[in-house]
Amino acid sequence: AQTVTQSQPEMSVQEAETVTLSCTYDTSESDYYLFWYKQPPSRQMILVIRQEAYKQQNATENRFSVNFQKAAKSFSLKISDSQLGDAAMYFCAYRSAIGTYKYIFGTGTRLKVLA
Amino acid sequence: KAGVTQTPRYLIKTRGQQVTLSCSPISGHRSVSWYQQTPGQGLQFLFEYFSETQRNKGNFPGRFSGRQFSNSRSEMNVSTLELGDSALYLCASSLTGYAGELFFGEGSRLTVL
């Protein structure tokens, strides 16, 4: 069975600085998708960034980028030029490319942005 | 375009009671999935429906059930509530349930006393 591990329950970053959130996963599959979702306080969870496992190039969305290391089964999220609005819970998620339709989420990392 | 709507937003029940939660997906989305979110556990997958059929189910007891209607709206039911069922229940919709983006509702926060 696949698992997703986020070992940092909480992190802090100064406004305008860069922070990296860690995520590791375990799977025997070769084709899958990885996601980072953001859940602001009392607001809906939204997709931050997505990575297809067959793509070697790391995904980037504006200030958000990932470091995808397939062999190491690592999928970290880097937030550059952190803003107060980045404060939220961040969840790493895995989804197989075939078969089941469920997403497997990590336990989340709460990010605090300090002014 | 309206987002995913979940009702009720908050509810308090006592042990032994049952509860029904509702989810209206984004128009055109045929896949609806449900998750239980608790502190320290993250999101735990409950089940996923597509065109009124349950395609996958998580590791939850049979007290947790769901269904999807022809208009893609979905309901989940928890019978014989236990204290440990207190959680935020999130519904997410997507076009097909494949690797596209999940669109989440704001959740239904259930407190069991």
Side-chain angles (χ1 to χ4, degrees):
Chain A
Q2 297 83 16
T3 60
V4 175
T5 302
Q6 293 180 252
S7 58
Q8 306 153 315
E10 188 171 294
M11 293 198 64
S12 297
V13 62
Q14 287 290 141
E15 203 175 1
E17 297 294 309
T18 296
V19 65
T20 298
L21 308 184
S22 300
C23 173
T24 59
Y25 58 95
D26 189 27
T27 183
S28 59
E29 299 174 333
S30 59
D31 201 10
Y32 48 86
Y33 301 88
L34 296 166
F35 306 82
W36 279 98
Y37 278 88
K38 169 186 177 182
Q39 186 179 42
S42 301
R43 293 179 61 187
Q44 288 159 299
M45 194 170 319
I46 57 173
L47 177 67
V48 175
I49 199 165
R50 171 182 125 157
Q51 175 81 44
E52 290 88 348
Y54 64 86
K55 290 185 177 179
Q56 292 187 331
Q57 187 172 8
N58 290 324
T60 298
E61 287 288 341
N62 301 313
R63 299 182 294 107
F64 298 87
S65 62
V66 298
N67 183 3
F68 173 47
Q69 310 257 337
K70 191 172 184 179
K73 297 179 183 175
S74 171
F75 183 60
S76 61
L77 174 70
K78 186 172 82 170
I79 306 174
S80 303
D81 185 26
S82 296
Q83 301 175 0
L84 295 177
D86 294 333
M89 281 290 287
Y90 286 82
F91 291 94
C92 178
Y94 169 102
R95 192 215 179 277
S96 172
I98 57 173
T100 63
Y101 302 91
K102 64 179 181 180
Y103 287 71
I104 299 169
F105 286 81
T107 52
T109 296
R110 181 173 301 281
L111 178 66
K112 295 183 177 181
V113 180
L114 309 174
Chain B
K1 203 176 200 180
V4 178
T5 304
Q6 291 189 246
T7 56
R9 292 289 314 282
Y10 302 92
L11 65 167
I12 299 174
K13 295 285 187 178
T14 56
R15 280 181 297 173
Q17 287 188 309
Q18 73 156 8
V19 66
T20 298
L21 309 178
S22 179
C23 172
S24 293
I26 290 173
S27 177
H29 285 194
R30 298 169 65 188
S31 169
V32 174
S33 52
W34 289 88
Y35 295 84
Q36 181 194 66
Q37 183 179 2
T38 54
Q41 293 281 333
L43 278 73
Q44 302 290 317
F45 173 78
L46 281 155
F47 25 66
E48 190 257 359
Y49 288 87
F50 181 84
S51 293
E52 302 178 70
T53 300
Q54 185 182 87
R55 294 199 294 195
N56 205 350
K57 190 176 190 304
N59 297 323
F60 279 81
R63 300 184 298 107
F64 292 81
S65 63
R67 60 178 175 169
Q68 186 180 34
F69 302 94
S70 58
N71 62 358
S72 292
R73 189 178 70 86
S74 177
E75 289 181 345
M76 68 163 282
N77 183 276
V78 188
S79 62
T80 320
L81 285 166
E82 301 177 359
L83 295 178
D85 296 334
S86 294
L88 180 67
Y89 290 87
L90 294 171
C91 166
S93 76
S94 68
L95 275 171
T96 63
Y98 288 99
E101 179 179 353
L102 290 178
F103 293 83
F104 285 86
E106 292 180 291
S108 293
R109 184 165 295 282
L110 171 66
T111 301
V112 182
L113 303 177

